[in-house]
Amino acid sequence: MQGPRRIPRVDLLATLAHEASEMNKPTEAITSVKRRAGLGARLLRTRETGIIGALLIMVLALSIFAPNFASIDNILNDTRNLSFVGIVVLGQAAVMITGGIDLSVGSVWGLSAVASAAMMQAGMGVVPACVLTLLIAASVGLFNGFCVTKLRMLPFVPTLATMSIARALALVITRGKAIDGFRPDGDAFFALGGGDILGLPTPFVIFVILAIIAGVVLKRSVYGRQLYAVGGNERAAMLTGLDVDRLKISVYVMSSVLAGLAGIIEVSYLSSAISNQGLGKELSVIAAAVIGGTALSGGEGTVIGVFVGTVILEVLRNGLILLGTDAYWQGVFVGSVIVFAVFIDQLRKGVWRRR
Amino acid sequence: MKVVLQTTLLVASAALASGAWAAGKPLAKECGPNNDYVIGFSQANFKEPYREHVNHELERLVKNYPKFKLVIADGQATVNTQVSQVENFMTQHVDLLMISPFEAAPLTPSVSAAYKAGVPVIELDRKTSGDNYTAFVGGDNRAIAKEAGEWAAKTLLPDGGEAAILEGLPSSSPAIERLEGFKAGIASNPKIKLVAVQPVDWMEDQAVTVFSAMLQAHPDIKLVYTSNDLAAAGAYIAAKQAGKADQVKIIGTDGLPGPSGGIRAVADGQWAATFTYPTGAAQALELAKKILIDCATEVPRNILVPTQRIDQANAKSLYGKEKF
Amino acid sequence: MSTTPTSTATAAVRPRNSLLTYLVRFQSLLGLVLVVSAGIMFSPRRHGHILFLAPDNVANIIRSISETGILSLGMTFVIIAAGIDLSVGAVLGLCSVLTATLLVNEGWGLWSTLSLVVATGVIFGAIQGAISTKFRIQAFIVTLAGLQVARGLSLIASNNSFININYGTGPGNAPPAFGILGERIGGVFPVATLVFLVLAVVAAFLLNNTRYGRYVVAVGGNEKAARLSGIPVSAIKISVYALTGFVAAIAGIVHAGQFSFGSPNDGAGYELTAIAAVVIGGTDLFGGAGSMIGTIAGAVMLGALANILQLNDVSAAMQLLATGAIIVVAAALQTYVVGRGVSAR
């Protein structure tokens, strides 16, 4: 939200040139064509290195100071816990890469949780209930995307509104009750959230698979490159003939669907759904994306980055609990880490050297 | 002297007369079996599952009183909103105000204003400060938690061990009272060591995450006390994941009915016990009936609804009964 | 009502129809009129009196919006400067806890307490502004982190509990004068709203009639142009965050006084209501144009809406829905009719 958004015609060319020089290209290889630095030096320069390094330091410190942090059980618990938020982060990253933001993911999470539970409780089969729920989530995303593109609103506004609206719908569906008793005991649906595949928690496996798909799409496909283009310089993207509107709508739909998926998986794990599911999760999701190097201004961000960002957030919270930290310090820590992470990223980019 | 004596007599007789008159005055301005009445219930928030349970109890039981119309307002866990809603009920001229204040002091002025304006006030589960209410129906969080602690100290862990507490939303009165009560309860057995206390804000998913971490840091935890049933459910999931479902004894609070409630969990052997925090809905509505329909001139001021321990002995039979 | 767009903004604004433009410029006032009319129409009646218009009810409406209204005054400045502040609710909580703690637990005098609390709010805001400006980190992120930090600090300051304020002399009591914040003048007009009104007048004057206000608008409209014209951009940007910190502190003090109570949970979610009031009031989220009167009208409208729904026993879910819908409609009006929006990028 900072920086000039309205470009007076007079400055158009100058601004375009300036923005082009500020645009961070997703692949470093292009910039270093002239002097092809060695693999080691290139690795050091990527943004992921910074946060992976930070993560390693954190893990090391916690292994020494926090009891049982490094135990297999704890790590597996962590992976399960972070998967729900992680799935949503993938979608949010896509939205942020196009220069937008989606504040409604927490409410869509909740709405999907209660909608799927209610449908199953009413006797619908697991698969149709989940599919229908994801369609509902997609329609919320469609609405968000429509407002951002056709009605030209700042993404903050419609997603803020759908945040309230989706939560309201969740309240209506639950009519204040917890929905339970929709899972016949010991069935496959529980395995979605609570089971294991090859020793790893199922949600984590789902998260990793989705992350790999997302990574490939963002880095290798034409669609992915178009997303970066839209976020980097929307005007230029439009001028080169990209259907910016359709691209933007697609990421909002994706974000909502992934939020819905997280809600469904969590519900299968907890086996009850209350209207508060997912409350406040949007902030964790955005924080993880930002720690992972995704900029709010768009055009930047990688799947590896947000993956690591999600892990960092979970490791931090888990570590603080293991250390027996008082609840109130946890808030202070998490807040400071977020700012610190972005600060380091700015440092790496040398943002304020250019003034 | 004569004047003074006469004045004193006059004043005294007036006081006696008004006292006698007041003693016979019905608590509600308009009362009787022939009118319809609107009861406004200002609920602290709709988020806590216990409060949803209270709402449902009230909605279910009020059907037995065809003359009553019940309106429930959501305070949204914000004192500003709840105060507005009490004020709005006054604007709507409800016949009786029921309230579970989110916090005592901030709600006192508006509730007192209602009381002084002649609207009977029944406080459910939590009190405001001071005396400006007609009746209070509720449990004593501290006593219930203390009973849980003492039972744990004597029966569950007579030989001691490590204990943990998952508390409710920090700084909310029931969370604080249950925490302090339980601590006082287990103090009776010095062999029990409290090793971890963390808030989970009444939420199940947070309970899972936090208790898993607690089990990592303190693998020998034998007892966990939670401030509400949802948190206990989360603790069970965490314990099961860690393979410690047999080692850890779980005590919940609320005793909610239904498949995800505490009664079933105890019946299935997942938890050691839960302590009901009865809603008091039935008592409150009965009080309302006495005030509005029977034109009672006085009612009991404090109705303490006792807790009931639900453990292996009675859970199964209770579950069959409580199901609706 | 004075919307003061910069010259660059007028180039980007394409009024389609002058009547519609006027409608949108006054959208918040129009919206308020609409909501009030709906309130009158749908108001329950008693013995022929329209309950919605009862003096007590009106007083209740304006009392309920005092704190979020105060917050939205500062938020208007920040948004006009093309920033945002998500931490105001948490800072409100921190300040109300500080007020309660200092007065009751530490036995401070009234003026020293108020000074320290206000200073805390201002410094907290200024720090956020400085981090955002000097390190070029998005305000969204800095204030998001600030929210967490402020909540944590308020839990620390209150020792994880809430603090009741009793009035009287002697230890453990606050000076009775402080309780005036919970009173109503003449039994009707809430003192808290009086504070809001006074601050609103000052804020409107500051925005529309001082050089500072013009600088803020310029910085929000086109930062580069503003810097080139010699406006101290960094100082202005830091100052608007100090402003939101200031109003959050005042709101926190009012909260503690109104409710005789300080709790770390205070103010949770208030920032979104404040932002909603600003958006509904017609201030452009892009920055560079805005109206204080619009914000005030937006805040009152939200309060009136909640009141109407409540009086008609509409469920909480519907209230959420209505608020969300109004935000969308207001924003749609803004972009669709006046032509502000992403098209001008």
Side-chain angles (χ1 to χ4, degrees):
Chain A
M1 307 237 187
Q2 282 181 346
R5 282 294 189 225
R6 244 167 312 168
I7 307 169
R9 312 266 151 170
V10 179
D11 279 342
L12 181 58
L13 279 166
T15 319
L16 266 177
H18 177 76
E19 281 177 345
S21 68
E22 275 198 61
M23 182 165 85
N24 274 296
K25 304 201 175 54
T27 42
E28 295 265 333
I30 304 175
T31 42
S32 43
V33 141
K34 267 186 255 172
R35 30 181 186 86
R36 223 168 150 78
L39 182 65
R42 259 195 294 145
L43 260 179
L44 272 176
R45 257 187 275 153
T46 58
R47 70 177 54 79
E48 286 81 47
T49 318
I51 41 178
I52 294 179
L55 177 62
L56 286 173
I57 296 178
M58 272 173 66
V59 168
L60 200 62
L62 283 172
S63 307
I64 301 178
F65 292 114
N68 296 0
F69 172 76
S71 71
I72 302 279
D73 279 335
N74 189 47
I75 300 205
L76 285 179
N77 283 340
D78 282 351
T79 56
R80 189 192 304 273
N81 292 334
L82 64 82
S83 308
F84 305 111
V85 167
I87 292 174
V88 186
V89 172
L90 294 174
Q92 181 78 238
V95 170
M96 286 169 72
I97 286 175
T98 62
I101 198 155
D102 189 350
L103 293 173
S104 63
V105 287
S107 301
V108 174
W109 175 321
L111 175 60
S112 309
V114 301
S116 58
M119 285 189 241
M120 283 186 270
Q121 194 186 48
M124 218 189 261
V126 171
V127 172
C130 293
V131 168
L132 199 55
T133 304
L134 290 178
L135 278 175
I136 296 176
S139 52
V140 174
L142 204 63
F143 178 76
N144 284 333
F146 177 76
C147 287
V148 170
T149 54
K150 302 302 179 195
L151 295 183
R152 296 189 302 238
M153 296 187 202
L154 264 184
F156 190 86
V157 177
T159 58
L160 182 66
T162 41
M163 190 167 94
S164 302
I165 297 176
R167 189 62 65 188
L169 291 173
L171 273 172
V172 168
I173 293 179
T174 58
R175 275 173 294 123
K177 277 207 290 247
I179 305 182
D180 50 32
F182 53 83
R183 277 199 307 108
D185 296 305
D187 71 347
F189 185 56
F190 172 74
L192 197 61
D196 294 303
I197 297 180
L198 301 172
L200 291 171
T202 315
F204 184 64
V205 173
I206 298 179
F207 174 41
V208 168
I209 295 178
L210 286 174
I212 295 177
I213 298 177
V216 166
V217 165
L218 273 179
K219 238 187 152 83
R220 306 263 174 218
S221 74
V222 174
Y223 175 72
R225 279 201 291 275
Q226 288 176 342
L227 287 183
Y228 282 109
V230 167
N233 190 327
E234 190 172 319
R235 196 164 191 79
M238 220 179 339
L239 290 173
T240 53
L242 288 179
D243 190 344
V244 170
D245 284 356
R246 191 186 302 177
L247 283 168
K248 282 183 157 182
I249 294 180
S250 70
V251 289
Y252 283 99
V253 170
M254 227 192 331
S255 170
S256 295
V257 166
L258 285 173
L261 185 64
I264 293 176
I265 299 180
E266 196 188 43
V267 142
S268 86
Y269 182 43
L270 297 177
S271 71
S272 80
I274 55 173
S275 60
N276 263 355
Q277 223 85 33
L279 193 67
K281 289 282 196 273
E282 57 275 344
L283 295 184
S284 297
V285 167
I286 294 174
V290 167
I291 292 177
T294 316
L296 270 174
S297 47
E300 287 177 42
T302 62
V303 170
I304 299 183
V306 302
F307 190 96
V308 175
T310 313
V311 175
I312 286 183
L313 214 54
E314 172 63 29
V315 163
L316 181 66
R317 292 220 177 98
N318 179 253
L320 287 172
I321 297 178
L322 284 177
L323 288 170
T325 331
D326 281 318
Y328 34 77
W329 285 112
Q330 292 177 25
V332 176
F333 267 113
V334 173
S336 318
V337 165
I338 296 176
V339 176
F340 194 63
V342 180
F343 171 71
I344 297 286
D345 203 47
Q346 304 282 60
L347 196 66
R348 192 196 57 82
K349 284 193 288 203
V351 162
W352 56 85
R353 264 188 261 136
R354 249 175 289 153
R355 255 309 205 146
Chain B
M1 255 315 119
K2 218 166 158 199
V3 176
V4 174
L5 199 57
Q6 269 183 350
T7 330
T8 325
L9 271 171
L10 254 169
V11 172
S13 45
L16 262 172
S18 61
W21 175 69
K25 199 160 79 102
L27 288 164
K29 274 191 285 198
E30 294 173 17
C31 66
N34 296 322
N35 304 330
D36 290 320
Y37 300 101
V38 175
I39 299 180
F41 177 41
S42 170
Q43 175 62 287
N45 65 72
F46 283 11
K47 286 194 299 196
E48 296 169 28
Y50 168 73
R51 305 210 164 275
E52 292 170 355
H53 181 52
V54 171
N55 294 348
H56 283 292
E57 283 278 279
L58 280 172
E59 284 169 344
R60 182 177 69 93
L61 291 169
V62 83
K63 296 191 188 130
N64 300 335
Y65 303 86
K67 292 285 181 195
F68 286 169
K69 174 174 168 217
L70 180 68
V71 177
I72 306 184
D74 178 7
Q76 295 170 14
T78 313
V79 294
N80 193 36
T81 312
Q82 199 174 16
V83 166
S84 293
Q85 278 162 356
V86 173
E87 292 170 343
N88 287 334
F89 277 145
M90 291 304 292
T91 311
Q92 290 173 302
H93 292 95
V94 295
D95 298 299
L96 186 137
L97 175 69
M98 270 199 230
I99 179 167
S100 287
F102 183 57
E103 287 300 348
L107 266 301
T108 307
S110 38
V111 170
S112 304
Y115 180 71
K116 287 190 193 146
V119 177
V121 175
I122 298 181
E123 299 189 341
L124 200 56
D125 158 60
R126 291 191 201 168
K127 285 192 198 179
T128 53
S129 323
D131 276 332
N132 289 327
Y133 59 93
T134 313
F136 167 73
V137 178
D140 182 342
N141 273 313
R142 207 163 262 143
I144 294 175
K146 185 148 177 262
E147 189 181 323
E150 285 170 349
W151 181 74
K154 254 203 326 233
T155 323
L156 273 189
L157 288 186
D159 299 322
E162 295 187 350
I165 300 182
L166 298 177
E167 24 158 359
L169 187 69
S171 82
S172 66
S173 345
I176 297 177
E177 288 163 14
R178 288 177 191 180
L179 178 66
E180 291 177 358
F182 189 75
K183 278 192 192 164
I186 52 173
S188 61
N189 182 345
K191 283 190 269 187
I192 298 184
K193 217 166 53 114
L194 190 60
V195 293
V197 176
Q198 288 275 348
V200 296
D201 299 350
W202 318 110
M203 303 280 287
E204 184 178 356
D205 50 357
Q206 264 185 270
V208 175
T209 330
V210 170
F211 194 54
S212 316
M214 277 184 184
L215 282 176
Q216 291 302 320
H218 306 275
D220 295 321
I221 291 182
K222 290 225 184 72
L223 171 71
V224 63
Y225 174 69
T226 66
S227 294
N228 69 328
D229 270 356
L230 266 189
Y236 177 69
I237 293 179
K240 200 163 77 145
Q241 241 174 252
K244 296 206 163 121
D246 297 321
Q247 170 191 316
V248 178
K249 306 242 185 286
I250 302 177
I251 302 182
T253 313
D254 283 344
L256 296 177
S260 66
I263 306 181
R264 197 229 66 192
V266 177
D268 284 351
Q270 291 175 351
W271 310 349
T274 182
F275 285 76
T276 61
Y277 188 85
T279 61
Q283 290 88 338
L285 284 173
E286 260 308 298
L287 266 180
K289 168 178 171 286
K290 283 207 192 106
I291 295 174
L292 292 172
I293 296 189
D294 298 340
C295 290
T297 53
E298 59 178 348
V299 288
R301 200 87 195 297
N302 281 302
I303 299 185
L304 213 60
V305 194
T307 181
Q308 184 184 16
R309 182 181 71 238
I310 300 183
D311 54 23
Q312 308 292 337
N314 55 8
K316 282 206 176 65
S317 50
L318 265 174
Y319 183 55
K321 261 197 293 175
E322 295 262 4
K323 211 165 147 154
F324 33 69
Chain C
M1 163 171 148
S2 34
T3 331
T4 43
T6 58
S7 55
T8 50
T10 28
V13 164
R14 297 188 303 272
R16 307 261 175 95
N17 177 333
S18 55
L19 173 65
L20 268 175
T21 315
Y22 261 111
L23 273 177
V24 173
R25 278 186 68 173
F26 294 102
Q27 73 174 40
S28 51
L29 292 172
L30 264 178
L32 185 57
V33 167
L34 263 170
V35 166
V36 169
S37 324
I40 298 177
M41 259 201 301
F42 292 113
S43 161
R45 276 145 223 264
R46 197 179 173 90
H47 310 310
H49 291 132
I50 301 177
L51 292 182
F52 182 71
L53 292 179
D56 272 344
N57 192 48
V58 175
N60 292 340
I61 295 178
I62 52 179
R63 184 211 61 79
S64 69
I65 56 147
S66 347
E67 286 164 39
T68 47
I70 294 176
L71 290 180
S72 61
L73 296 175
M75 190 68 80
T76 312
F77 276 99
V78 165
I79 293 185
I80 290 181
I84 196 141
D85 190 346
L86 296 175
S87 66
V88 288
V91 176
L92 186 158
L94 174 62
C95 292
S96 85
V97 160
L98 261 180
T99 311
T101 292
L102 290 173
L103 283 176
V104 173
N105 295 344
E106 308 291 331
W108 283 31
L110 189 60
W111 291 112
S112 34
T113 303
L114 294 183
S115 322
L116 183 68
V117 172
V118 169
T120 307
V122 169
I123 292 175
F124 194 90
I127 292 179
Q128 292 190 120
I131 295 180
S132 171
T133 312
K134 290 301 177 194
F135 300 127
R136 311 247 308 243
I137 302 180
Q138 299 267 359
F140 191 92
I141 296 299
V142 176
T143 57
L144 181 61
L147 188 158
Q148 311 265 26
V149 173
R151 278 276 162 238
L153 289 175
S154 47
L155 281 172
I156 296 172
S158 68
N159 201 22
N160 246 356
S161 171
F162 57 85
I163 302 159
N164 281 334
I165 302 181
N166 304 311
Y167 299 107
T169 45
N173 285 327
F178 188 61
I180 198 175
L181 284 168
E183 309 275 331
R184 296 196 178 194
I185 305 174
V188 181
F189 198 81
V191 173
T193 315
L194 187 62
V195 176
F196 170 44
L197 275 180
V198 167
L199 278 177
V201 168
V202 170
F205 183 78
L206 194 63
L207 180 63
N208 300 323
N209 297 74
T210 62
R211 201 191 311 175
Y212 176 74
R214 283 196 288 277
Y215 281 179
V216 171
V217 173
V219 167
N222 189 326
E223 191 175 318
K224 287 193 182 71
R227 188 172 300 130
L228 290 173
S229 358
I231 296 178
V233 169
S234 298
I236 297 279
K237 283 168 101 170
I238 296 179
S239 71
V240 291
Y241 288 98
L243 252 179
T244 51
F246 173 74
V247 294
I250 302 277
I253 294 173
V254 167
H255 186 94
Q258 255 200 94
F259 299 114
S260 313
F261 175 80
S263 153
N265 289 326
D266 288 342
Y270 280 23
E271 56 277 345
L272 292 181
T273 315
I275 295 174
V278 174
V279 170
I280 292 174
T283 299
D284 196 341
L285 268 178
F286 283 107
S291 153
M292 198 57 74
I293 301 209
T295 301
I296 299 169
V300 176
M301 176 159 62
L302 283 173
L305 181 69
N307 179 260
I308 300 169
L309 293 174
Q310 243 282 295
L311 285 180
N312 284 297
D313 299 330
V314 173
S315 71
M318 289 304 139
Q319 295 183 31
L320 266 178
L321 233 151
T323 317
I326 289 197
I327 295 178
V328 175
V329 169
L333 266 181
Q334 227 183 58
T335 55
Y336 212 52
V337 176
V338 181
R340 288 181 195 149
V342 193
S343 64
R345 270 176 109 197

